[in-house]
Amino acid sequence: MTMNTGPAAGRPGNLADARDYRVIDEVRSYEQAEHEIDTLSDAGFPVENTRIVGVNLEQVEQVTGRLSVAKAAASSALGGASFGLFVSLFFLLFTPSISYWRVLLFGVLAGAIFGAVYGAIVQAMQSGRRDFASVRSLVPNSYEIQVRSQHVNESIAILQEAGILAV
């Protein structure tokens, strides 16, 4: 384990005190990082002086399937129906003397229709450039356990005693 105490050790989270943190360990999984912080907590360490920082982020785009105009319309219809329901409920807050079910039904149907039309138009305008659906996420390659500089020695001693860090 190498302890990074240079300027890159305190990555910006809270800019006012970002440089006050030092890396005491780097692990491959978030669960390992949680385990180290939990070990510090169990030993009575003031864990409010620690943080877990994901480093070397990669954007991962998982393709979930083909996307046709019909699928785009159906997906957008669901979103539109949800929005229509929200608008209808909001409308009912201010006009309590009208038929609730009619307003709700109209809102959901109008939202679904507008959503479907919008989704179909947007997908058709893609002209075959993006005929797939996907989900994007940021995935760190590793996690740094960082501790405020005045608590570094205490945290290292606790983790060494627990057998997590090599002596």
Side-chain angles (χ1 to χ4, degrees):
M1 186 231 27
T2 56
M3 188 169 68
N4 183 359
T5 57
R11 288 187 171 67
N14 180 354
L15 295 177
D17 63 351
R19 286 174 265 166
D20 190 34
Y21 283 87
R22 302 293 177 255
V23 178
I24 62 167
D25 198 10
E26 186 169 339
V27 295
R28 301 294 297 163
S29 74
Y30 186 78
E31 290 74 22
Q32 289 174 298
E34 281 182 322
H35 175 68
E36 289 193 22
I37 301 297
D38 191 47
T39 301
L40 292 171
S41 178
D42 291 346
F45 182 82
V47 291
E48 62 274 8
N49 294 293
T50 63
R51 61 187 184 179
I52 299 171
V53 179
V55 294
N56 299 321
L57 298 177
E58 294 179 352
Q59 180 176 319
V60 177
E61 184 172 4
Q62 178 63 49
V63 177
T64 58
R66 290 189 53 78
L67 186 61
S68 64
V69 172
K71 284 184 181 178
S75 175
S76 296
L78 288 174
S82 299
F83 183 72
L85 177 64
F86 173 75
V87 171
S88 297
L89 290 172
F90 186 75
F91 183 73
L92 286 173
L93 287 175
F94 298 105
T95 54
S97 63
I98 58 177
S99 172
Y100 293 117
W101 295 110
R102 285 184 182 171
V103 172
L104 291 175
L105 184 62
F106 177 78
V108 169
L109 289 176
I113 290 167
F114 284 119
V117 170
Y118 176 77
I121 289 171
V122 168
Q123 183 60 28
M125 290 177 64
Q126 293 290 328
S127 302
R129 285 189 311 247
R130 188 169 170 93
D131 289 340
F132 61 91
S134 64
V135 177
R136 292 182 187 169
S137 61
L138 287 177
V139 180
N141 286 320
S142 62
Y143 297 88
E144 291 178 348
I145 289 75
Q146 298 181 358
V147 178
R148 287 191 191 272
S149 57
Q150 67 263 30
H151 298 282
V152 167
N153 292 335
E154 180 186 0
S155 64
I156 291 174
I158 292 169
L159 294 175
Q160 284 176 337
E161 186 176 311
I164 294 173
L165 295 180
V167 180

